[in-house]
Amino acid sequence: MTDENVSTQNQDVSLDEQIDGILDDTTETTNTTDVPDNTGNNDNTNVQNEETTDEDNTKPQIPEQFLNQDGTVNIDDLLKSYNELQPLAVEKEQWQKEKTELQKQADYAKQIREQAQIEAQNLGYKNPEEYALVTEIASATADEYMKYLHTVEEPDKVRGLLALYAKNPTPELLERIEDEFSVDIVKNVSVLAERTKNQILQQQQEQRLEVIRQEAETFVQNSIKDFPDWFKIPEFTNFFADALKVKGDRFETAAFIKHLENLKEYFRKEFIAEQNANKENKSELDELKNLTPKTIQQNTSTKNIEDYSPEELDKAIAELV
C-alpha cells in the first residue's frame, strides 16, 4: 500500500466523519458544534502503516544484477539465471537423497559389525574374524567325525555333541568328543582340521591381496586421470611405481607431484642461471677477441744516438715505453 493510498483513505474517512458530525448537530437541541475525533483514525492509519512496513520487510528483495536502470525487473536475465540453476538444484537434491541412503547403509553395516563384535567377545574371541575361522574349522572337524559314528558306542549322543560343537566350539566339548573315538581316528581328524585351517588362512590372505590389488588399481587410475601429462613420461611412471611400492597405502599422488614440481622449478632456475653465466662468459670472450694492441707510432730516424740531445733522448725513450 502506497503513501498516496493511505492519504486518500485518511481524507475519505475524515470526510465521512465530518458528514456524520453535521447530521448529529441537526438532531441536537443545542448549538454546540461537535469537533470530529480523529484519534481512532490515526490509530488505524498507524496500524496500516505498520502492516505495510511488515509486508515490505517480508517481501523478497531482487538482487541489483537483475534490475534495469529504471529499477524494473529484468525478466530475461532472471529467467536465464533460473534455467542455469535449476538443473544444479535437481542434481543437488538427487545427491542429497543418495547421500542419505548411503549413510543409512553405512550405519546399518556398522551396527551389524558392532553386534558381531559383541557376540564374538561374549563367546571369548577377539573379533568376528577369529570366531568365523574357529567355527569353520569346527564345522569341518564335526563333519569328519560324523564319518566315524559307526565306531562309537552311542552314535546319537556323539551326533548331538558334534552338532553342538559345530555351532559353539569349545576345548571342553572337543575333549569329550575325542574321548568317544579311537586314537587313530582322532589323529586323522586332527590332521584334517589343521589342513583345513591352513587352507582357510590362505584363502583369506588371497582375498586380502585381491582387495589391496583392486584398491591399488583404482588409486593408479585416479592418479593418471588427475595428472595425465606426468604419466606420459616413462621415467616418471617408473619413479611413481617404485615410490608407490615403498609408501603403500600411505602414498599421496598430489603430494608426490608437488615435490616433483618444486624439484623441477629448482632445476629450471639452476639452468637459467647457468645459461646467463655462459652468456656473460661468451660476451667477455668476444670482447677479448676484438681487442688489438695499440699502435705505437715509432719515429724512424737516421740520426745516430750520439746526435740526440738529452731532452730528445728522454722523449724518444718515453714514447717507446
Side-chain angles (χ1 to χ4, degrees), residues 230-246 251 256 260:
W230 279 95
F231 284 90
K232 294 178 182 178
I233 306 173
E235 291 79 5
F236 169 79
T237 303
N238 296 332
F239 187 27
F240 177 87
D242 292 339
L244 182 59
K245 292 177 182 177
V246 174
F251 186 83
F256 181 68
L260 290 180

Coordinates of all heavy atoms in Angstrom, one line a residue, residues 230-246 251 256 260:
W230 N 51.9 -36.0 -16.6 CA 53.1 -36.6 -16.0 C 53.2 -38.1 -16.4 O 54.4 -38.6 -16.5 CB 52.9 -36.5 -14.4 CG 53.3 -35.2 -13.9 CD1 52.5 -34.1 -13.6 CD2 54.6 -34.8 -13.6 NE1 53.2 -33.1 -13.2 CE2 54.5 -33.4 -13.1 CE3 55.9 -35.4 -13.6 CZ2 55.6 -32.7 -12.7 CZ3 57.0 -34.6 -13.2 CH2 56.9 -33.3 -12.7
F231 N 52.1 -38.8 -16.5 CA 52.2 -40.2 -16.8 C 52.5 -40.5 -18.2 O 52.7 -41.7 -18.6 CB 50.9 -40.9 -16.4 CG 50.7 -41.1 -14.9 CD1 50.1 -40.2 -14.1 CD2 51.2 -42.3 -14.3 CE1 50.0 -40.4 -12.8 CE2 51.1 -42.5 -12.9 CZ 50.5 -41.5 -12.2
K232 N 52.7 -39.5 -19.1 CA 53.2 -39.7 -20.4 C 54.7 -39.8 -20.5 O 55.3 -40.1 -21.5 CB 52.7 -38.5 -21.3 CG 51.2 -38.4 -21.5 CD 50.8 -37.2 -22.3 CE 49.3 -37.1 -22.5 NZ 48.9 -35.9 -23.2
I233 N 55.3 -39.5 -19.3 CA 56.8 -39.6 -19.2 C 57.2 -40.9 -18.6 O 56.9 -41.2 -17.5 CB 57.3 -38.4 -18.3 CG1 56.8 -37.1 -18.8 CG2 58.8 -38.4 -18.3 CD1 57.1 -35.9 -17.9
P234 N 57.9 -41.8 -19.4 CA 58.2 -43.1 -18.9 C 59.1 -43.1 -17.6 O 58.9 -43.9 -16.7 CB 59.0 -43.7 -20.0 CG 58.6 -43.0 -21.3 CD 58.3 -41.6 -20.8
E235 N 60.0 -42.1 -17.5 CA 60.8 -42.1 -16.3 C 60.0 -41.8 -15.1 O 60.2 -42.3 -14.0 CB 61.9 -41.0 -16.5 CG 63.0 -41.3 -17.6 CD 62.5 -41.1 -19.0 OE1 61.4 -40.6 -19.1 OE2 63.2 -41.4 -19.9
F236 N 59.0 -40.9 -15.3 CA 58.1 -40.6 -14.1 C 57.3 -41.8 -13.7 O 57.1 -42.1 -12.6 CB 57.2 -39.4 -14.5 CG 56.1 -39.2 -13.4 CD1 56.4 -38.6 -12.2 CD2 54.8 -39.7 -13.7 CE1 55.4 -38.4 -11.3 CE2 53.8 -39.6 -12.7 CZ 54.1 -38.9 -11.5
T237 N 56.8 -42.5 -14.7 CA 56.0 -43.7 -14.5 C 56.8 -44.7 -13.6 O 56.2 -45.3 -12.7 CB 55.5 -44.3 -15.8 OG1 54.8 -43.4 -16.5 CG2 54.6 -45.5 -15.5
N238 N 58.0 -45.0 -14.0 CA 58.8 -45.9 -13.2 C 59.1 -45.4 -11.8 O 59.1 -46.2 -10.8 CB 60.2 -46.1 -14.0 CG 60.0 -46.8 -15.3 OD1 59.0 -47.5 -15.5 ND2 60.9 -46.5 -16.3
F239 N 59.4 -44.1 -11.7 CA 59.6 -43.5 -10.4 C 58.4 -43.6 -9.5 O 58.4 -43.9 -8.3 CB 60.0 -42.0 -10.6 CG 60.5 -41.3 -9.3 CD1 61.0 -42.1 -8.3 CD2 60.4 -40.0 -9.2 CE1 61.4 -41.4 -7.1 CE2 60.8 -39.3 -8.1 CZ 61.3 -40.1 -7.0
F240 N 57.2 -43.4 -10.1 CA 55.9 -43.4 -9.4 C 55.7 -44.8 -8.9 O 55.3 -45.0 -7.8 CB 54.8 -43.0 -10.4 CG 53.4 -43.1 -9.8 CD1 52.9 -42.1 -9.1 CD2 52.7 -44.2 -10.0 CE1 51.6 -42.1 -8.5 CE2 51.4 -44.3 -9.4 CZ 50.9 -43.3 -8.7
A241 N 56.0 -45.8 -9.7 CA 55.7 -47.2 -9.3 C 56.6 -47.6 -8.2 O 56.2 -48.2 -7.2 CB 56.0 -48.2 -10.5
D242 N 57.9 -47.2 -8.2 CA 58.8 -47.5 -7.1 C 58.4 -46.8 -5.8 O 58.4 -47.4 -4.7 CB 60.2 -47.1 -7.5 CG 60.8 -48.0 -8.6 OD1 60.3 -49.1 -8.8 OD2 61.7 -47.5 -9.3
A243 N 58.0 -45.6 -5.9 CA 57.5 -44.8 -4.8 C 56.3 -45.4 -4.2 O 56.1 -45.5 -2.9 CB 57.3 -43.3 -5.1
L244 N 55.4 -45.9 -5.0 CA 54.1 -46.5 -4.6 C 54.4 -47.8 -3.8 O 53.7 -48.1 -2.8 CB 53.2 -46.8 -5.7 CG 51.8 -47.4 -5.4 CD1 51.1 -46.4 -4.5 CD2 51.0 -47.6 -6.7
K245 N 55.4 -48.6 -4.3 CA 55.7 -49.8 -3.6 C 56.3 -49.5 -2.2 O 56.1 -50.2 -1.2 CB 56.8 -50.6 -4.4 CG 56.2 -51.1 -5.7 CD 57.3 -51.8 -6.5 CE 56.8 -52.3 -7.8 NZ 57.9 -52.9 -8.6
V246 N 57.1 -48.4 -2.1 CA 57.7 -48.1 -0.8 C 56.6 -47.5 0.2 O 56.6 -48.0 1.4 CB 58.8 -47.0 -1.0 CG1 59.4 -46.6 0.4 CG2 59.9 -47.7 -1.8
F251 N 50.7 -43.6 0.4 CA 51.2 -42.8 -0.7 C 50.1 -41.8 -1.2 O 48.9 -42.1 -1.3 CB 51.5 -43.7 -1.9 CG 52.2 -43.0 -3.1 CD1 53.5 -42.8 -3.1 CD2 51.4 -42.6 -4.2 CE1 54.1 -42.1 -4.2 CE2 52.0 -42.0 -5.2 CZ 53.3 -41.7 -5.2
F256 N 53.2 -36.1 -3.9 CA 54.3 -36.6 -4.7 C 54.6 -35.6 -5.9 O 55.7 -35.2 -6.2 CB 54.0 -38.0 -5.2 CG 55.1 -38.6 -6.0 CD1 56.3 -38.9 -5.4 CD2 54.9 -38.9 -7.3 CE1 57.4 -39.5 -6.1 CE2 55.9 -39.5 -8.1 CZ 57.2 -39.8 -7.5
L260 N 57.8 -33.0 -6.9 CA 58.4 -33.0 -8.2 C 58.3 -31.7 -8.9 O 59.3 -31.2 -9.6 CB 57.8 -34.1 -9.1 CG 58.0 -35.5 -8.7 CD1 57.3 -36.5 -9.7 CD2 59.5 -35.8 -8.7

